[in-house]
């Protein structure tokens, strides 16, 4: 069943256990918010858009397509819980995109978008994920670099 | 079987069943949705495609009926130090009509609410003087499915029991609490986004109308507790311990939230 298989990314123990969480080992580094943005790169370097695309398209790493559609012709059945990512790079600066991924709740306390680079204020996090952000600083820079290319 | 094989197997099974029971699809579609007019509540049954609805509706196609058959045999089997069958005390299973519609219920002796599975297990240990069945064991699921089937078609009717109140409140609070690394509450998906898609999965409203369910993803029968555990793991939260009071609280809250909706156990889900 297609439905069952896709949901497995979010609701099946066996699959979740196999999620490569190992990418995001280190605890978050401090960052500075200016207005509605984090202007400086989390790593001090710019990310790689191709790697960022792969992260966004992978439902077990980025998880983005569980909620967002976007320019991914290969992706079957994206979710419809959030606005499409098309044109995100035209709507937002890199710094604005960075804050939205790092901790979208800073802009909308009721958001369902997970805080990709926050480990505090969370409850009952499963031990294998505890203390780790969903994406590492380097992964977030890759995703920002990719989103910035989405001009339409 | 690995995941791919299982998906393939279930796809074949569904296709075969869909073909076999295509005629009953119209019957399924004609069934009136639960609740009264203007009631926006919707069983997960109505979020499924016609093939799965047909599978649930046709007892000869619904895989859960295999467990029901086992349950019937167990109902009549004398066992334990008391050498009693359920039937020796309860008579025909028809005596269980309506019971599943009002569980979990408060157990005065234990001084806390118990789920239907736990209630059955209490009769195992206290009345039959037999070993308790493991949670999630085939036998306990079989007995639960058999008992639940006796309430099929009845409205969910949770008791107005003062002693349950604090547990229901705890369940509601838990339903609204963000959990896990993904920081999502049950309510954010099931109240706020029911009917939308999480990837390819339609988010149901989470009404416990069909439990225990035969879930294609599991290739087997499972309890509501197992379903809840799946959602907890999905948001990368640590599931509660198997005997934790949180599950019965959530179940109590979900049953109140679904009050008046029609029981359709044992159901089928993707």
């Amino acid at each position: 069943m297609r439905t069952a298989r896709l949901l497995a990314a979010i609701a099946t123990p066996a699959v979740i256990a196999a999620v490569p969480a190992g990418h995001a080992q280190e605890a978050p580094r401090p960052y500075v918010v200016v207005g509605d943005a984090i202007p400086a790169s989390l790593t001090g370097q710019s990310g790689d858009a191709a790697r960022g695309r792969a992260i966004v398209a992978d439902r077990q790493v980025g998880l983005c397509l569980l909620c967002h559609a976007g320019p991914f012709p290969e992706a079957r059945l994206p979710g419809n819980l959030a606005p499409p990512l098309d044109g995100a790079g035209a709507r937002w600066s890199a710094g604005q995109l960075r804050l939205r991924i790092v901790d979208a709740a800073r802009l909308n306390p009721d958001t369902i978008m997970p805080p990709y680079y926050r480990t505090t204020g969370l409850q009952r996090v499963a031990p294998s994920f505890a203390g780790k952000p969903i994406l590492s600083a380097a992964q977030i820079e890759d995703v920002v670099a990719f989103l910035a290319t989405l001009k339409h | 079987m690995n995941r791919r094989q299982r998906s393939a197997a279930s796809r074949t099974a569904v296709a075969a069943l869909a073909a076999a029971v295509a005629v009953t699809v119209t019957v399924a579609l004609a069934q009136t949705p639960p609740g009264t007019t203007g009631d926006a509540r919707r069983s997960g049954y109505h979020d499924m495609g016609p093939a799965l609805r047909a599978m649930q509706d046709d007892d000869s196609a619904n895989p859960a009926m295999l467990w029901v058959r086992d349950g019937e045999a167990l109902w009549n089997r004398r066992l334990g130090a008391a050498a009693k069958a359920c039937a020796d005390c309860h008579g025909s299973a028809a005596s269980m009509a309506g019971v599943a519609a009002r569980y979990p219920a408060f157990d005065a002796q234990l001084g806390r609410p118990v789920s239907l599975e736990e209630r059955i297990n209490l009769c195992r240990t206290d009345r039959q003087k037999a070993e308790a069945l493991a949670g999630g064991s085939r036998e306990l699921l079989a007995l639960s499915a058999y008992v639940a089937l006796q309430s099929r078609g009845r409205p969910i009717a949770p008791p107005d029991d003062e002693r349950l109140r604090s547990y229901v409140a705890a369940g509601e609070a838990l339903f609204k609490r963000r959990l896990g690394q993904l920081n999502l509450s049950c309510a954010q998906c099931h109240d706020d986004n029911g009917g939308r898609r999480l990837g390819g999965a339609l988010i149901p409203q989470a009404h416990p109308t069909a439990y225990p369910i035969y879930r294609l993803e599991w290739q087997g029968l499972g309890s509501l507790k197992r379903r809840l555990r799946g959602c907890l793991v999905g948001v990368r939260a640590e599931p509660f311990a198997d005997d934790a009071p949180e599950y019965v609280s959530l179940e109590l809250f979900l049953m109140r939230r679904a009050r008046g909706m029609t029981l359709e156990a044992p159901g089928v889900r993707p």
Side-chain angles (χ1 to χ4, degrees):
Chain A
M1 279 302 291
R2 177 186 285 185
T3 314
R5 187 142 34 86
L6 287 180
L7 181 74
I10 192 136
T12 302
V15 172
I16 292 288
V19 163
H23 292 293
Q25 294 296 352
E26 88 274 30
R29 314 171 193 184
Y31 54 83
V32 179
V33 178
V34 179
D36 73 339
I38 301 174
S41 161
L42 299 173
T43 59
Q45 323 211 308
S46 47
D48 178 289
R51 276 201 308 259
R53 187 187 192 282
I55 291 166
V56 170
D58 188 324
R59 290 176 203 224
Q60 291 170 18
V61 179
L63 311 167
C64 318
L65 302 191
L66 290 174
C67 297
H68 293 275
F72 302 93
E74 77 279 19
R76 289 169 299 107
L77 294 178
N80 61 1
L81 303 178
L85 293 175
D86 308 68
R91 284 191 295 280
W92 310 107
S93 69
Q96 288 173 314
L97 290 167
R98 193 175 286 113
L99 178 56
R100 277 154 183 79
I101 298 161
V102 162
D103 192 359
R106 280 178 175 259
L107 301 163
N108 170 13
D110 297 327
T111 190
I112 57 167
M113 177 146 158
Y116 278 87
Y117 201 62
R118 162 152 70 90
T119 53
T120 54
L122 308 177
Q123 297 179 62
R124 279 199 83 81
V125 177
S128 51
F129 296 106
K132 300 168 195 162
I134 301 169
L135 294 177
S136 69
Q139 286 176 312
I140 287 180
E141 291 310 320
D142 291 344
V143 170
V144 168
F146 167 65
L147 293 177
T149 68
L150 302 180
K151 298 296 188 192
H152 314 284
Chain B
M1 279 201 271
N2 65 29
R3 301 195 58 73
R4 193 185 303 259
Q5 287 167 329
R6 263 193 289 145
S7 320
S10 57
R11 210 175 311 121
T12 318
V14 172
L17 279 159
V21 297
V23 273
T24 63
V25 170
T26 31
V27 179
L29 287 169
Q31 282 189 348
T32 41
T36 51
T37 327
D39 187 342
R41 292 177 306 169
R42 189 181 154 86
S43 163
Y45 171 89
H46 294 285
D47 294 330
M48 305 194 299
L52 289 187
R53 290 200 304 262
M55 194 196 236
Q56 171 170 317
D57 289 338
D58 180 349
D59 282 352
S60 66
N62 183 341
M65 295 312 283
L66 298 172
W67 278 259
V68 165
R69 238 168 283 156
D70 284 3
E72 182 175 15
L74 278 169
W75 181 265
N76 292 303
R77 187 176 308 156
R78 296 213 162 93
L79 49 76
K84 293 264 193 216
C86 318
D88 288 329
C89 297
H90 292 291
S92 141
S95 65
M96 291 284 136
V99 171
R102 55 181 170 74
Y103 265 73
F106 197 83
D107 185 278
Q109 230 162 359
L110 294 175
R112 59 175 174 81
V114 295
S115 66
L116 182 61
E117 288 93 336
E118 211 178 345
R119 172 70 259 180
I120 290 171
N121 238 342
L122 286 171
C123 274
R124 266 287 287 199
T125 52
D126 299 355
R127 309 277 172 189
Q128 293 182 306
K129 310 284 180 205
E131 294 242 316
L133 295 166
S137 64
R138 182 170 177 103
E139 285 166 301
L140 189 51
L141 286 166
L143 279 166
S144 311
Y146 187 53
V147 170
L149 175 69
Q150 313 306 319
S151 299
R152 188 154 77 175
R154 294 195 171 223
I156 290 179
D160 282 316
D161 184 337
E162 185 65 44
R163 297 168 299 179
L164 292 173
R165 217 153 273 177
S166 63
Y167 295 92
V168 175
E172 179 167 14
L174 186 50
F175 195 80
K176 295 178 173 159
R177 188 177 310 149
R178 287 177 183 263
L179 295 172
Q181 192 193 36
L182 303 191
N183 202 33
L184 288 165
S185 70
C186 320
Q188 283 180 301
C189 279
H190 293 295
D191 280 348
D192 304 345
N193 286 293
R196 297 218 179 94
R197 281 196 335 268
L198 177 73
L202 207 97
I203 301 177
Q205 293 179 356
H207 294 300
T209 43
Y211 288 79
I213 54 166
Y214 181 87
R215 189 168 177 223
L216 272 72
E217 180 66 28
W218 297 332
Q219 294 285 295
L221 202 72
S223 63
L224 180 55
K225 191 194 274 188
R226 182 169 177 195
R227 176 63 263 189
L228 301 184
R229 208 186 296 131
C231 281
L232 288 166
V233 170
V235 296
R236 301 183 178 176
E238 182 178 10
F240 301 103
D242 229 30
D243 55 355
E246 278 87 355
Y247 288 115
V248 83
S249 289
L250 272 174
E251 248 185 75
L252 278 163
F253 170 66
L254 290 175
M255 288 294 272
R256 265 151 193 78
R257 192 167 160 271
R259 184 193 298 274
M261 293 177 77
T262 305
L263 266 189
E264 56 190 80
V268 172
R269 291 291 183 270

